[in-house]
Amino acid sequence: MRKLAAWVLVLGMAISPAVMAADGNDKTSDAKTDKSPTSTTKTNTPAPTSTELEAEIEQLRALIKEQADQLAAMKASMANTSTAAANSSNGMVASSAPSSNSTATPTVATASAAAPASSTTVAKPATMSSDPQAMNASDHSPLSFKIGDAQFTPGGFMDFTTVFRTTGTGNGIGTTFGGIPFNNNFPTAGTNETRFSAQNSRISLKVDAPVGGGKITGYVEADFLGAIAANANITSNSNSLRMRLYFGDYRRGKWEVMAGQDWSMLTPSRKGLGIMPADVFFSQNEDTNYQVGLPWTRQPQFRVMYHPTDEWTLGVSVENPDQLLTTAVTPPAAFVPFNGQLDVTAGSTLATPPTPNYIPDIIAKVAYDHMMGEKLLHIEASGIFSEFRVFTPSSILGTPTLAGVTNRASGGGGSVNLNLELYKGLHLIANSFFSDGGGRYLLGSGPDLVIKQLTTTSPFLPSLVHAYSGIGGLEYQATKNTLLDFYYGADYYGRNVQVNPVGGARNIGYGFAGSPGTNNRIINEYTVGWTQTLWSNANYGSLKIITQGSYLNRTPWAVLPGQPKDAHLFMAYADLRYTLP
């Protein structure tokens, strides 16, 4: 009845001008009647002819048709409303409409009742847009809220992680790949280990706002894997909040600028140059150190990116450097008092002196994303330039007239990465990395450089170590709720050796005969994973079980008498995760 009444109202509004015109003629006639008592009442305006009446009717028909066309257009713009609601409305109109109505009447009445042109503005369906200022409500989670023009989107997940290793490592839920013990390294290797942890639980906040003709995005992400007290596992398990990511990004047109802490641009991407975690490839692993073969860091940086087309992205990033020596390197004895120039990582992080790096690492990258039908091809290539320097004081050189000597070495490398959807849901992963002085980006399982000295009074010389890595694997979204993955990854470190300047036959450096078992030559990891979504709702989030099984082994450059040729272990993860919508 409501829609029928609306139709009658529209029809009444359409014909009201004619009624008012007729009423006006009657009043004019009354005012101008003959005053003679014997005369009859006459009007000055003649009665409309049949032709004029037909013209009036045609005008009314045209007006009604115009109204109907406008309402039909408005109805079409509401095509994103549910079919059930539309069927319900049509049924209500059909049940209340008189049987004498024409077939066209219910159509017009439905449109009019759904969206009266005089009072309601019909919202257009929300669509995804490449325009950086287009921020529709449908692009955000149900937890999003607005303050002014800024859209705030909380995120994160709650984790309960279990990890089991066949050999004790002394690690938490993140595995130190380059330091797993040999099976004769007692007491650590004499037992397995099982751990429960909620440390990988995560909180995040994303803020989007239109600024200056572009869009600015702020993002902060934290977990609970920070440094903790020595007795934390005895008492309250008071895990510390740790900053993972914290950056601001501004995009306008084809240009984009980002500053803050993010995944290094050297880390492989899934899409573009990957500033958001969902666009970065760090495997599906539950290990918080991810997968052997993956070059990655999260560090402060400044990026400039250019998007010439929807498929191509180019960028340059200036990132925080770190000259990594590691405790695995045997330096000249004269250098030991001055090894604070490099990151030796001896003791806790807070006890290690800040490394006086020379210049930032400079990384350039180009990415190509192409849809082949419904399948995605992502391919990228990157290059890195690093500079290393060490200072030799005059006390070593025996030249009191000089303050000392600085020597430098330039390092660099690159990567080529592929993420190809072979068929719907099945992705092929192929990543590679090669460098001189890039060991830090491989979880520091090997050094960036060694220090050489020709004689006891010669200057210290930085000499770079080759570091290579690769990952091959498959990720398969078998069903809507089942994800399977398999990866093989490897790290390789070259040897860099010299004769000890103090004399004798003993060599120094990295990888020399008789070097410690920490001088890794190659590290391998085979991983299989299964992620099962137990429950998912767009408004309330999802509940998943994530599993990982890995075989890990490492081979040193030198195998000492009585020492096993490699160190190896199996480890398994099981994780129950609730993710916010």
Side-chain angles (χ1 to χ4, degrees):
M1 289 298 294
R2 181 167 58 87
K3 296 186 177 180
L4 179 60
W7 162 244
V8 172
L9 176 61
V10 171
L11 183 59
M13 292 174 64
I15 66 174
S16 60
V19 174
M20 292 177 63
D23 184 57
N25 288 339
D26 290 342
K27 291 181 181 179
T28 303
S29 174
D30 291 341
K32 295 186 178 182
T33 55
D34 191 334
K35 294 183 180 181
S36 172
T38 59
S39 64
T40 59
T41 303
K42 297 181 180 180
T43 62
N44 294 330
T45 304
T49 65
S50 61
T51 303
E52 292 173 335
L53 287 174
E54 290 179 0
E56 290 271 356
I57 293 171
E58 287 299 325
Q59 290 179 0
L60 288 174
R61 288 176 177 170
L63 181 59
I64 292 172
K65 185 177 183 303
E66 181 181 356
Q67 292 277 343
D69 290 344
Q70 292 178 356
L71 295 172
M74 295 173 69
K75 181 180 177 182
S77 70
M78 299 175 67
N80 64 322
T81 57
S82 67
T83 303
N87 291 338
S88 175
S89 298
N90 290 336
M92 182 175 61
V93 173
S95 63
S96 60
S99 59
S100 59
N101 284 356
S102 67
T103 56
T105 301
T107 304
V108 178
T110 302
S112 176
S118 61
S119 61
T120 304
T121 300
V122 180
K124 294 182 179 180
T127 57
M128 297 298 290
S129 171
S130 59
D131 183 352
Q133 296 191 74
M135 294 182 295
N136 298 297
S138 63
D139 297 345
H140 300 278
S141 80
L143 299 180
S144 295
F145 59 92
K146 292 194 74 173
I147 300 179
D149 291 334
Q151 187 86 33
F152 291 74
T153 306
F157 52 79
M158 288 172 276
D159 256 9
F160 178 72
T161 304
T162 302
V163 57
F164 168 81
R165 299 185 180 97
T166 56
T167 300
T169 62
N171 301 147
I173 56 175
T175 307
T176 303
F177 304 129
I180 61 171
F182 294 95
N183 59 14
N184 64 347
N185 185 1
F186 302 114
T188 305
T191 182
N192 54 35
E193 62 183 12
T194 302
R195 300 180 186 276
F196 291 158
S197 177
Q199 290 177 280
N200 198 37
S201 299
R202 202 163 299 169
I203 55 175
S204 67
L205 178 66
K206 181 183 178 186
V207 183
D208 299 302
V211 176
K215 181 182 120 174
I216 190 167
T217 298
Y219 185 75
V220 58
E221 180 182 281
D223 61 21
F224 298 88
L225 283 158
I228 61 175
N231 68 337
N233 290 319
I234 301 172
T235 55
S236 63
N237 278 262
S238 303
N239 299 312
S240 300
L241 189 69
R242 177 184 71 162
M243 182 180 73
R244 290 170 57 90
L245 306 175
Y246 199 143
F247 62 82
D249 178 83
Y250 179 70
R251 180 169 177 179
R252 180 175 180 179
K254 297 182 177 182
W255 289 95
E256 185 174 3
V257 177
M258 188 274 287
Q261 176 154 308
D262 195 9
W263 292 89
S264 170
M265 199 162 73
L266 191 66
T267 310
S269 301
R270 294 183 182 272
K271 179 182 178 183
L273 296 190
I275 66 167
M276 298 302 298
D279 298 328
V280 178
F281 174 82
F282 43 84
S283 80
Q284 303 290 342
N285 291 3
E286 275 304 288
D287 194 322
T288 54
N289 284 334
Y290 310 106
Q291 173 76 27
V292 169
L294 178 70
W296 69 276
T297 62
R298 292 186 297 267
Q299 61 189 7
Q301 59 193 269
F302 178 82
R303 291 192 197 183
V304 177
M305 292 165 281
Y306 179 64
H307 306 265
T309 69
D310 291 339
E311 295 184 329
W312 289 94
T313 309
L314 299 85
V316 175
S317 182
V318 180
E319 304 192 6
N320 189 60
D322 187 45
Q323 302 182 140
L324 181 64
L325 185 69
T326 79
T327 56
V329 172
T330 303
F335 182 75
V336 173
F338 308 102
N339 65 9
Q341 301 179 66
L342 304 176
D343 187 352
V344 184
T345 64
S348 68
T349 302
L350 297 178
T352 302
T355 306
N357 300 291
Y358 180 44
I359 61 172
D361 288 351
I362 301 172
I363 301 171
K365 193 173 188 179
V366 57
Y368 175 69
D369 298 276
H370 177 67
M371 294 300 298
M372 301 181 297
E374 295 183 351
K375 297 185 288 292
L376 174 66
L377 164 66
H378 172 84
I379 188 169
E380 63 184 33
S382 64
I384 179 172
F385 173 80
S386 302
E387 190 80 357
F388 304 87
R389 73 172 182 176
V390 292
F391 177 77
T392 308
S394 59
S395 59
I396 298 295
L397 301 175
T399 54
T401 57
L402 296 176
V405 175
T406 298
N407 286 284
R408 302 182 179 91
S410 297
S415 67
V416 178
N417 305 318
L418 172 72
N419 192 321
L420 171 64
E421 193 170 7
L422 298 174
Y423 63 88
K424 193 63 176 178
L426 179 63
H427 288 258
L428 171 67
I429 309 297
N431 299 332
S432 65
F433 174 66
F434 48 92
S435 74
D436 282 340
R440 174 174 75 97
Y441 287 91
L442 300 177
L443 199 62
S445 298
D448 289 341
L449 74 164
V450 301
I451 299 300
K452 293 185 175 182
Q453 188 183 30
L454 299 181
T455 69
T456 55
T457 58
S458 298
F460 304 134
L461 303 174
S463 181
L464 305 181
V465 174
H466 302 306
Y468 310 131
S469 74
I471 291 181
L474 295 170
E475 295 177 343
Y476 181 39
Q477 191 73 50
T479 69
K480 178 182 177 182
N481 295 324
T482 303
L483 172 65
L484 305 174
D485 56 80
F486 166 77
Y487 310 104
Y488 165 70
D491 295 337
Y492 170 84
Y493 299 93
R495 66 197 311 173
N496 194 330
V497 181
Q498 76 154 104
V499 176
N500 193 337
V502 298
R506 182 170 176 265
N507 293 327
I508 60 172
Y510 184 83
F512 54 89
S515 61
T518 54
N519 283 215
N520 296 311
R521 182 172 66 89
I522 189 167
I523 307 172
N524 300 281
E525 184 179 17
Y526 302 83
T527 297
V528 293
W530 172 31
T531 301
Q532 185 67 37
T533 301
L534 304 177
W535 171 81
S536 178
N537 184 286
N539 292 320
Y540 302 106
S542 63
L543 184 66
K544 299 178 180 179
I545 291 180
I546 306 171
T547 62
Q548 173 192 340
S550 294
Y551 171 74
L552 179 67
N553 82 304
R554 68 179 182 93
T555 303
W557 273 104
V559 177
L560 302 179
Q563 178 178 295
K565 65 177 182 179
D566 67 2
H568 56 269
L569 59 81
F570 290 92
M571 56 185 180
Y573 287 78
D575 181 86
L576 182 66
R577 174 177 297 178
Y578 168 69
T579 304
L580 294 174

